[in-house]
Structure formats: structure tokens, C-alpha cells
Amino acid sequence: MSPLHLLRQPILTLCLILFAGAACAQTAPAFTPSVGQEGKDVVWVPTPQALVDKMIALARVTASDILIDLGSGDGRTVITAAKRGARATGIEYNPDMVELSKRNAEQAGMTGKANFMKADLFETDLAQATVITMFLLPDINLKLRPKLLELKPGTRIVSNTFTMGEWVSDDSVTADGTEGCSFYCKAYLWIVPVKAEGIWKMAQGELDLKQSFQMLAGTLKSGGKALTLANGRIRGDQIVFTAGGIEYSGKVDGNQMSGTTKAGGANTWSATRSAAPAK
Ligand SMILES: C[S@@+](CC[C@H](N)C(=O)[O-])C[C@H]1O[C@@H](n2cnc3c(N)ncnc32)[C@H](O)[C@@H]1O
């Protein structure tokens, strides 16, 4: 047998394998997901498109956003955000769903704009996100909550149906009654609050802020009196509270904050944090 013949035989075998593979690839049915199919931590149930649209609107997603969908399923939320111009990425553990999402993105003309990664949502770096979307479970939301609270102040988090325990939502939306939405038709929005707790020195006195998520309480010690704060609230890096009947609103930037009051006369104020809260 000539050396050439020996070489040809494996080539022939390889060709047969390749041909069979190609034939198989042509006849193998494309992966079709089924509602309720197992997932690593959560089964797959798609968010109705009517609610996806409302979630993206609730988060006010624009072209300057970086959106991450945790457990992205068939990619619908990521594709919808990409259509608004956002840089959108889906994190999905099931590789078949990742491939399906890529095909769906291609069909929607969003290849390269809607991106998908096969990864575990608990091990994914979320630091760059300006918007997080999810449809998971109550206990998973709670497990993620500490990580979400460390994201940049102002980051918007939108969850289909499931809440965040005692971190009350800043807003919500429903697609109830919309065509195509019979189950899981409500979503909630949270805006990551800046950390404002501590003792602050200001011209008006000493401000002692106590923070629970986006809610603020505390006192302003001024002119020998301790004024109890009312209506204290944070939205991203914006703060508002009332003390002694005067409303203070402003912005927190590290250990400095400043803003305006709704009192007559000089209407600006500023404060410096002298003591950070004990961790
Ligand atoms: C309820 S579905 C939501 C799908 C999509 N976000 C939507 O709203 O249509 C949850 C998805 O999370 C995925 N998943 C479950 N555990 C995960 C994990 N640890 N990391 C990444 N994805 C996960 C599942 O495979 C499933 O596709």
C-alpha cells in the first residue's frame, strides 16, 4: 500500500464523518425551549413582551445605558433594550438558551448590540451596569440585594413580580389587562441609594442621618433644639428632608453634600460628613 493511499484513507473517513455531521446538522431540529424547563437556580418562564416593554420604559433606558439582564432566558429583555440603543448583555446559565438568544437577536437585527454570555448570575461582575433587569425568585433577589446596594448610586433595578424584602420599591408598573399578559404582569423599580448615613456639620447645626435603604430619619441639632427630620428620602445621589418646617434638597458626593432649601432668604446649604456610620 502506498504512503499516499494510507493518507487518503483517513481523509476519506474524515470526509464521511464531516459529510454525516453536515447532514446531521441540517436535519437536527433547532432547540425549542419549553416554559418551566429547569434552570440552575430558577426555571425558565418568559416575561410577557408587554411587560418587558413596560420594564424598559420604567427604567427609562436610553442609548447611554449599560443594561444587564440576570437570567436572560430567550433574550427578549436584552433585545428590547438594545433596540433602544442601550449596550445590553444577557447572563444565562443554559447554553442552549444563550444560542437561542443569539439567533433571536440576529432575527431582530440586533447582532452585536444585544450580547449574551453563558455564565452564573451570582458570579458576574455587575459594576458597569446602569440598569439591571431580572425575573428570578424572592429568595434570589434577597441573596443579590447586598451586591445590588453596592452598585453606583442611581443604578436602576427592575424586577418582574418579585420584590426585595424590606427594601421597598421606588416605583412599579403593571401590564395587567394588556393583551398577552395573564401572569407575572407587574414589575418593580429600585434606584440604588447613595450612602448618606452619618454625622454632618452644616451652618444650620449638626445633622445626624440614619438611613434604611432609600429612607432617611434623624435629627438636626440647631439653636439648642433637636429637630426631628420628616419626609427624608434618597433617590440615587439626590437627598431630601424637612427639618423645622424647612425642606432641604441636594446632592451627596462622598463626604460632602449641598443643595437648596425652600426657605426664604439665603437658600443654599452644604454639609460635611464628620463621622461615617459604624459598619
Ligand atoms: C424566569 S426565567 C426569566 C427569563 C428572562 N429574564 C425573561 O424575563 O424572560 C429565569 C432564567 O434564569 C436562568 N437562570 C437560572 N439560574 C441561573 C443562574 N444561576 N445564572 C444564570 N442564569 C440562570 C434560567 O435558565 C432562566 O432562563
Side-chain angles (χ1 to χ4, degrees), residues 37-49 52 55 69-78 90-95 97 117-124 133-137 140 160 162 184:
Q37 77 189 13
E38 236 179 270
K40 180 171 181 284
D41 295 288
V42 191
V43 301
W44 177 64
V45 177
T47 296
Q49 186 61 43
V52 171
M55 287 169 70
D69 189 34
L70 299 179
S72 49
D74 64 4
R76 59 185 64 200
T77 306
V78 175
I91 306 299
E92 172 56 54
Y93 198 78
N94 180 332
M97 295 303 276
M117 279 172 60
K118 193 264 164 208
D120 188 328
L121 62 92
F122 288 112
E123 285 161 23
T124 301
T133 51
M134 55 204 207
F135 179 21
L136 299 167
L137 283 171
I140 296 184
N160 178 356
F162 302 112
Y184 304 117

Side-chain angles (χ1 to χ4, degrees), residues 55-62 65 84 131 156 171 189 235:
M55 287 169 70
I56 295 298
L58 182 64
R60 298 183 185 191
V61 172
T62 69
D65 278 311
R84 286 215 175 189
V131 179
R156 291 95 80 205
D171 207 346
L189 168 77
R235 196 174 169 93

